[in-house]
Amino acid sequence: MKLTRPVSWFLVAFGVWSWVIWITFIKNLFKDGSGLAFDDAGDPTAYFWVHLTLAVVSFVLGTVVGGIGLRGVRALRQMSSDQASSHQTP
């Protein structure tokens, strides 16, 4: 399957977005002072574990999607350089 340049860059951007958003979310989850993520004894709650799992899964999926986009961008660049070199005359 061939990806177009805009689709490849969108997937790369999605991967970067996932890194920024989910790492920030995890940092904020660990700093939660509302009592949702940690109980009075300081132990993680079910809310914490569910949201940590959600963040990790989303982070991994975003990384995979970004990697697919990066492979698409590299393939398009390789095709462009191959076409440019095949059009040169000796």
Side-chain angles (χ1 to χ4, degrees):
M1 180 176 151
K2 294 181 183 180
L3 299 175
T4 63
R5 188 172 312 277
V7 170
S8 295
W9 280 112
F10 173 79
L11 295 176
V12 169
F14 182 86
V16 170
W17 173 259
S18 292
W19 276 66
V20 171
I21 292 301
W22 291 109
I23 288 175
T24 302
F25 182 83
I26 290 172
K27 286 180 184 177
N28 290 336
L29 185 63
F30 276 98
K31 292 190 292 185
D32 179 60
S34 70
L36 289 173
F38 300 98
D39 61 16
D40 293 335
D43 296 325
T45 62
Y47 175 91
F48 173 85
W49 291 114
V50 167
H51 285 83
L52 181 63
T53 302
L54 173 67
V56 169
V57 168
S58 296
F59 177 72
V60 169
L61 290 174
T63 301
V64 169
V65 168
I68 291 168
L70 189 58
R71 287 181 63 192
V73 168
R74 287 181 178 166
L76 288 167
R77 286 186 178 164
Q78 182 64 38
M79 283 180 18
S80 294
S81 67
D82 288 347
Q83 287 175 353
S85 63
S86 69
H87 291 304
Q88 293 177 354
T89 55

